[in-house]
Amino acid sequence: MIVFWRLFLSYFLTDFIFYFEPADKLRSQNRVKRALLHGGIFLAWAMTLCYGYLTMSWPFLELIHLPGWLVIILFALFYVSTERLFDFGGKIRHGYFLSFFLKTLVNMLFLFLCVPLYVLYETGNFFAEPWIIFCAGLVLATRVVGWCIFTIEQDRYGRDYPTFDERWLLMMGRAIFFLIMMLPGWRWIVLLLVWASACGYARKIRLIDVSNLAFYGGIFAAIFFGFLVRLRFYLVW
C-alpha cells in the first residue's frame, strides 16, 4: 500500500491545501483554467511522491496493466471531471456535504483499484511508511476536517467561506491536538487536557468564535486521527 498512501496524500494536498477559495472562484470564471490548475497540481504531487514507482506496472481499474505514470495521468483526468459530476451544492438537500463526501469516496475507490497491491505483499504492512502516514494524518486532522465541517455548515446555515483568521486559527488548534498525540509515553494525556482547557477558555472569552460543530467536532476528529497515527508509531495507547 505504499503507492496508495502516497497518492492519498497527493490527493488531499491538492484538494484541501493547494486548492482554496481564490482557485474555487474560477468555477464561475473559467472552468478550463480551474481544471488545468487542479489537475496540474495533483500531477506534480503524485509524480513527485510516486517517482520510484512510475515505470512499474499498475492494474488500471483491475482491467489492464499500464505504466504508473499513465495511470496517474488518467486518474488526474477523472479527478477533475468529478468536480462537475458531483456538484450538488445548493441543488439538493445536504448538497455541499454530499458533493464533498461522494467526490472523495469515488476518487479514493478509483485510486485503490489502480495501485499495485503487490507492494503490500513485499512489505507485509498496510501502513509501511510512517512519514507518509504522519503527513496524511496531519492533513486529515487539519484541512480535511475543516473542509468537511464547512460543507455541513454551508448546508445548514448557508454560510460563506471561513475568514483567513478563522480557517488558520482552527487548523493550528487541531494540528496541536494531533501533534500532542504523537508524544511518547503518557505525557500526551496531561498536555491534551491542558491544551483543551486553553482552547475552551479562548472560546469562552470569544477569542475563538465558532460553532459547536467546528469547535468540538474539530477537536474530536483531530484527536481521533492522531490516535490512529499514534498506533502506527507505538502500537500502544
Side-chain angles (χ1 to χ4, degrees):
M1 295 297 290
I2 289 176
V3 176
F4 173 78
W5 288 114
R6 289 180 178 226
L7 290 174
F8 179 94
L9 181 58
S10 300
Y11 175 87
F12 284 115
L13 283 173
T14 301
D15 216 27
F16 299 106
I17 291 184
F18 292 91
Y19 206 63
F20 42 90
E21 182 180 1
D24 191 65
K25 289 180 180 178
L26 289 173
R27 178 191 298 272
S28 58
Q29 298 174 0
N30 194 315
R31 293 183 181 274
V32 175
K33 288 183 179 180
R34 173 189 168 98
L36 289 174
L37 174 66
H38 209 168
I41 293 174
F42 172 78
L43 282 175
W45 276 109
M47 293 293 186
T48 300
L49 290 176
C50 298
Y51 178 77
Y53 304 93
L54 297 180
T55 58
M56 185 181 292
S57 179
W58 294 17
F60 180 68
L61 297 178
E62 299 292 337
L63 299 175
I64 58 174
H65 282 74
L66 299 172
W69 61 268
L70 181 56
V71 173
I72 290 176
I73 292 175
L74 292 174
F75 172 74
L77 294 174
F78 175 78
Y79 179 26
V80 297
S81 71
T82 57
E83 287 292 309
R84 294 289 299 277
L85 187 62
F86 298 103
D87 185 10
F88 308 127
K91 301 175 184 177
I92 62 174
R93 189 179 182 185
H94 308 305
Y96 289 105
F97 175 75
L98 286 175
S99 297
F100 163 82
F101 177 77
L102 292 176
K103 182 170 73 74
T104 303
L105 179 65
V106 168
N107 280 293
M108 290 299 103
L109 179 61
F110 190 111
L111 285 181
F112 187 79
L113 293 176
C114 290
V115 296
L117 292 179
Y118 52 81
V119 177
L120 171 62
Y121 308 146
E122 293 175 0
T123 62
N125 192 331
F126 194 82
F127 307 101
E129 296 181 301
W131 70 276
I132 288 288
I133 300 303
F134 171 82
C135 291
L138 182 59
V139 171
L140 284 172
T142 54
R143 181 60 172 166
V144 179
V145 167
W147 194 261
C148 179
I149 292 173
F150 166 64
T151 61
I152 295 173
E153 292 184 336
Q154 264 189 312
D155 287 321
R156 294 181 63 183
Y157 315 123
R159 68 161 300 175
D160 296 326
Y161 274 87
T163 63
F164 178 86
D165 291 344
E166 177 187 344
R167 184 168 63 246
W168 286 99
L169 185 63
L170 290 178
M171 284 177 60
M172 290 297 295
R174 291 192 296 268
I176 293 174
F177 277 108
F178 177 86
L179 293 174
I180 287 174
M181 298 298 294
M182 299 299 105
L183 295 174
W186 294 92
R187 71 189 73 177
W188 61 272
I189 297 178
V190 176
L191 290 178
L192 198 66
L193 293 174
V194 170
W195 181 239
S197 299
C199 291
Y201 178 74
R203 188 166 187 255
K204 182 178 180 180
I205 64 174
R206 303 185 71 84
L207 180 62
I208 302 177
D209 189 12
V210 296
S211 67
N212 287 333
L213 176 62
F215 185 74
Y216 295 109
I219 290 175
F220 174 81
I223 293 174
F224 175 73
F225 286 121
F227 170 74
L228 293 181
V229 175
R230 179 182 179 84
L231 291 180
R232 170 60 186 87
F233 279 86
Y234 303 112
L235 296 179
V236 294
W237 288 73

